[in-house]
Amino acid sequence: MTRQEYRDIYDAVDVAMEVHSTIGRGLAEQVYQEAYAIEATMRGMDVEREKKLYLSYKGVELQKVFFADFYYKGIIMEFKSVEELCAEHRAQLLNYLRIAQLDRGILFNFGEASLRAERYLYLPAEDQFVLLTHENYKSYITD
């Protein structure tokens, strides 16, 4: 991940922080999605809502289509508004990263008193996901 790619994650989280601080916690996910799209557009960010993700099997595209809440500069973003994130929420984002063959994702939870933004890096060679923290993110920046 380059410094700019990490900066893109930071920018995406900053939009969500503004949305959460403006309208608060616990509303429906769709409310946060709409507000996020508005805030991102106001900042000149080209986000794609309801990004279609396609999966292939042995070179044949499957009919099943997945929809990520948002896509921005190679980042898949999933929104939740729940009391607490669980393994299923994380699995959804991580599967979307595999399907899209992308390496960066953010799982947002707008249901908590403070916005939760879990930043993930997918390492396809090891088929592993890393939760990026303030302590470890620098070790994954390549330039």
Side-chain angles (χ1 to χ4, degrees):
M1 169 176 64
T2 66
R3 288 186 193 285
Q4 183 57 53
E5 288 171 333
Y6 186 77
R7 177 69 186 167
D8 294 339
I9 292 172
Y10 182 88
D11 291 344
V13 171
D14 194 53
V15 171
M17 290 175 67
E18 178 64 21
V19 169
H20 189 272
S21 69
T22 301
I23 60 177
R25 68 179 173 136
L27 300 172
E29 290 174 25
Q30 295 83 359
V31 172
Y32 297 106
Q33 291 169 355
E34 186 173 350
Y36 189 96
I38 292 167
E39 182 67 28
T41 300
M42 289 172 63
R43 294 179 184 211
M45 295 169 63
D46 187 20
V47 296
E48 184 177 343
R49 194 169 172 188
E50 294 294 316
K51 172 75 171 169
K52 289 183 181 181
L53 306 176
Y54 300 95
L55 182 62
S56 295
Y57 176 76
K58 294 188 176 184
V60 178
E61 191 173 283
L62 300 179
Q63 292 181 11
K64 172 66 178 163
V65 178
F66 298 90
F67 294 90
D69 290 336
F70 280 93
Y71 171 85
Y72 172 67
K73 292 188 174 182
I75 305 165
I76 295 290
M77 293 178 272
E78 276 300 304
F79 286 39
K80 302 297 176 197
S81 183
V82 294
E83 194 171 307
E84 186 176 321
L85 291 174
C86 69
E88 286 180 14
H89 301 135
R90 292 176 182 95
Q92 179 184 15
L93 174 66
L94 303 179
N95 283 328
Y96 286 178
L97 289 174
R98 274 194 192 111
I99 291 166
Q101 298 179 4
L102 295 170
D103 64 351
R104 294 171 295 143
I106 309 169
L107 179 59
F108 292 112
N109 186 14
F110 291 89
E112 299 180 41
S114 295
L115 175 73
R116 177 177 289 280
E118 294 184 357
R119 303 154 182 91
Y120 288 93
L121 183 65
Y122 176 49
L123 307 173
E126 298 91 20
D127 195 30
Q128 300 234 340
F129 296 93
V130 176
L131 175 62
L132 296 173
T133 65
H134 292 294
E135 291 79 30
N136 73 359
Y137 80 92
K138 289 180 182 176
S139 64
Y140 294 98
I141 293 178
T142 57
D143 62 304

